[in-house]
């Protein structure tokens, strides 16, 4: 699904020099590389504070910890997403409340969101799924009206830009109270291990989250909050600081691959290509198709037999996951997400796809579709 090896080959000299520098200085934790990367990312995103942490799940957890929510407070999450989004709310004793998504964009449905808000709702966690921003203008308006926090899950969407109706443009993850991202190797900005970051323009929240990520302390050995230990290490920061310089180029490479796929697949009614919304650029963390009247399992087998990976993101919506079953939800409650789980399929998507590879993949899909 990704080709991290070929990507590395192109930036090997820069990356190796950065890693070697960390080793030479032995500043493995909280070294200068972490501060450099933090500032470079703040500049790239045009956000006041970037707080580097251990991974994207920690970022989401620390964000929710900073909001002073109480047990049983409701946090709204889309039901079609990776589990981490709901998991952290559940872990903190909050109540994850799921909503359905939009069939076209895979992102949280604004109509469904409006209907789900109760007096106990305290926060909304929109997920910018597969690399395209959810409708943040609508979400921020709903949040304002109902006095809710917005924590963006931008783990798949770094580099994607949202356009507001007044012409203002913002980077993904910088519009809500807090934004979270992951630097897992296969993410759009990936390191060589685990990593993540939190974004905010709010000074108070930034100080609090920095403290929570560091055992709840500001002055060493004086603990003001119950915290966690979550850090980005210097070697990962060294890798990320190099890759950040290539992020726009990486986003373009992904978009070019998506354009190639789109062109071929838009010729058949059996495939719905990913919708591109008017208010957001797409950075194609995944290239996800909807199959109409196609045997998905057989198609995936056909592709696998030809050496082509294909994945289902995601096969089961949150409300039907075993660990999240409760009397609140049953099958049929969120028909759009349930339908998507049955018909989506993601193809290889990364920065190194050649036209030969794209041709081979698209030919192999079409060969099966036309049978
Ligand atoms: C990857 C991902 C996460 C978690 O990030 P980790 O770094 O793996 O903890 C959370 N939410 C979404 C939508 C993701 O894609």
């Amino acid at each position: 699904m990704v080709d991290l090896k070929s990507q590395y080959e192109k930036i090997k000299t820069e990356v190796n020099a950065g890693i070697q520098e960390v080793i030479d200085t032995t500043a493995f934790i909280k070294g200068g590389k972490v501060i450099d990367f933090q500032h470079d990312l703040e500049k790239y995103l045009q956000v006041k504070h970037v707080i580097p942490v251990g991974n994207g799940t920690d970022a989401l957890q620390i964000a929710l910890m900073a909001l002073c929510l109480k047990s049983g407070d409701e946090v709204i999450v889309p039901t079609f997403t990776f589990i981490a989004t709901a998991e952290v709310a559940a872990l903190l004793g909050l109540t994850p409340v799921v909503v359905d998504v939009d069939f076209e964009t895979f992102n949280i449905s604004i109509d469904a969101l409006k209907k789900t808000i109760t007096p106990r709702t305290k926060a909304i966690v929109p997920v910018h799924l597969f690399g395209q921003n959810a409708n943040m203008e609508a979400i921020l308006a709903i949040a304002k009206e109902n006095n809710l926090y917005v924590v963006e899950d931008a783990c798949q969407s770094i580099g994607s830009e949202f356009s507001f109706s007044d012409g203002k443009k913002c980077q993904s993850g910088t519009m809500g109270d807090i934004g979270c991202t992951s630097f897992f190797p296969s993410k759009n900005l990936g390191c060589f291990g685990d990593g993540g970051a939190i974004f905010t323009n709010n000074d108070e929240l930034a100080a609090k989250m920095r403290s929570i990520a560091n055992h709840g302390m500001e002055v060493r050995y004086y603990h003001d909050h119950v915290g966690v230990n979550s850090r980005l290490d210097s070697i990962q920061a060294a890798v990320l600081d190099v890759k950040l310089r290539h992020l726009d180029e990486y986003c373009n490479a992904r978009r070019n691959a998506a354009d190639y796929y789109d062109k071929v697949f838009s010729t058949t009614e059996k495939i719905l290509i990913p919708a591109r919304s008017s208010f957001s650029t797409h950075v194609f963390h995944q290239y996800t198709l909807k199959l109409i009247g196609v045997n998905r399992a057989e198609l995936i087998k056909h592709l696998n037999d030809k050496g082509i990976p294909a994945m289902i993101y995601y096969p089961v919506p949150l409300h039907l996951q075993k660990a999240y079953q409760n009397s609140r939800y049953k099958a049929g409650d969120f028909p759009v997400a349930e339908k998507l789980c049955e018909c989506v399929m993601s193809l290889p998507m990364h920065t190194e796809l050649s036209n030969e590879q794209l041709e081979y993949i698209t030919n192999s899909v079409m060969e099966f579709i036309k049978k």
Side-chain angles (χ1 to χ4, degrees), residues 54-60 81-85 87 127-130 153-156 180-184 186-187 193-196 285 314:
N55 57 65
T57 308
D58 279 2
L60 288 162
T81 180
F82 180 57
I83 199 70
T85 320
E87 185 177 52
V127 182
H128 306 309
L129 204 71
F130 303 148
D153 183 337
C155 288
Q156 303 188 357
C180 299
T181 205
S182 164
F183 304 125
F184 184 79
S186 65
K187 298 285 158 104
D194 273 310
H285 173 61
Y314 295 91

Side-chain angles (χ1 to χ4, degrees), residues 69-75 89 92-97 118 120-122 328:
L69 305 182
K70 289 186 299 295
S71 166
D73 281 352
E74 295 177 358
V75 176
L92 294 172
L94 308 171
T95 304
V97 173
T118 75
R120 305 188 68 152
T121 308
K122 292 288 152 34
R328 204 173 183 134

Side-chain angles (χ1 to χ4, degrees), residues 332-344:
D333 284 349
F334 303 98
V336 177
E338 290 171 32
K339 169 123 204 267
L340 287 172
C341 289
E342 281 164 20
C343 73
V344 290

